[in-house]
Amino acid sequence: MATLILVRHGRSTANTSGVLAGRTPGIALDERGTAQAAALPGRLAGVPLAAAVTSPLQRCRETLQPLLDARPGLPVHPDERIGECDYGDWSGRKLAELADEPLMEVVQRHPSNAAFPGGESMRAMQARAVEAVRDWNARVEAQSGEDAVYLMCSHGDIIKSLVADALGVHLDLFQRIHVDPCSVTAIRYTRLRPSILRLGDTGDFAGLIPREEPGGEAAEVGGGAGAP
């Protein structure tokens, strides 16, 4: 079956301002995110892509645009099923403020039981994303053969949930996975099992340098802003 390249969108203005963007419209890439997107065609040079699928949100479309400019014949398909988690009433709020919400402990410790007020549950988020991947795997293989490679540009929690599914681990463990902005994760699907070929690869090790003010132990909802 197909090989899937998952790209998290580049760093956004919400990432740098510490806001949980969710599905809020008008969230664009910041200067660094724009540079990350511009570098994506070079990072994927030589990788044959049968198709690109994208979250309809602006930050994903902006991330994908340089790649589409470099490959004008590449088919691109928006798919709402790989759009950001619907954080409902949490959308647009500061992450520092949300840390005190009782629900945050559920999101961190037992995400399969977390449902955002006015939004969706994390189980529903994973289910729709997995369904999208299964559908696109079959579609790409039917059109381009079992060795085809295709790309999806999506969001941190979506990608983490897809990695958890590919690893066969419970959603409650998905907070142990981390993917930086504009990182590349690759999964090869076969009839026996998926294999993780790359995970959160940015080619940049700055994020491993200890910070003067270490972050907390909690995983950042939405995925975080990456290296400073």
Side-chain angles (χ1 to χ4, degrees):
M1 296 176 70
T3 296
L4 169 61
I5 295 177
L6 289 161
V7 176
R8 185 183 168 200
H9 63 78
R11 197 174 73 175
S12 72
T13 54
N15 293 145
T16 46
S17 60
V19 168
L20 184 62
R23 299 181 178 181
T24 305
I27 302 297
L29 299 183
D30 68 5
E31 185 176 353
R32 179 169 180 167
T34 300
Q36 290 171 332
L40 190 60
R43 292 170 62 198
L44 295 177
V47 179
L49 295 176
V53 185
T54 184
S55 160
L57 291 173
Q58 179 179 339
R59 54 195 183 273
C60 286
R61 291 186 284 106
E62 289 181 351
T63 299
L64 202 53
Q65 193 58 53
L67 182 65
L68 298 178
D69 291 342
R71 304 191 190 199
L74 180 63
V76 59
H77 309 275
D79 192 328
E80 292 185 355
R81 294 176 297 177
I82 62 166
E84 181 63 286
C85 183
D86 184 356
Y87 298 116
D89 297 343
W90 279 27
S91 300
R93 293 178 62 186
K94 288 279 190 179
L95 288 164
E97 170 189 324
L98 292 169
D100 295 328
E101 292 280 353
L103 178 60
M104 183 59 84
E105 186 171 0
V106 181
V107 171
Q108 296 294 328
R109 294 180 178 271
H110 192 27
S112 67
N113 199 41
F116 296 97
E120 70 179 333
S121 70
M122 301 199 94
R123 280 181 294 135
M125 173 200 74
Q126 183 187 46
R128 62 175 166 83
V130 169
E131 178 187 51
V133 168
R134 299 292 188 270
D135 288 350
W136 280 105
N137 282 348
R139 179 172 174 177
V140 168
E141 182 179 358
Q143 293 179 346
S144 303
E146 63 181 15
D147 293 326
V149 181
Y150 73 106
L151 180 147
M152 281 184 170
C153 187
S154 189
H155 306 268
D157 282 347
I158 294 288
I159 293 172
K160 288 163 56 178
S161 74
L162 289 171
V163 170
D165 172 75
L167 290 173
V169 302
H170 200 279
L171 182 63
D172 284 348
L173 302 180
F174 100 128
Q175 299 289 26
R176 302 184 182 195
I177 300 164
H178 183 80
V179 290
D180 275 342
C182 222
S183 62
V184 170
T185 294
I187 306 172
R188 178 172 292 146
Y189 290 87
T190 73
R191 283 165 177 77
L192 294 178
R193 68 186 67 85
S195 298
I196 304 294
L197 307 180
R198 298 287 189 278
L199 177 59
D201 188 347
T202 63
D204 179 0
F205 294 99
L208 302 180
I209 300 172
R211 303 183 185 184
E212 292 183 6
E213 297 181 4
E217 295 181 355
E220 286 198 52
V221 182

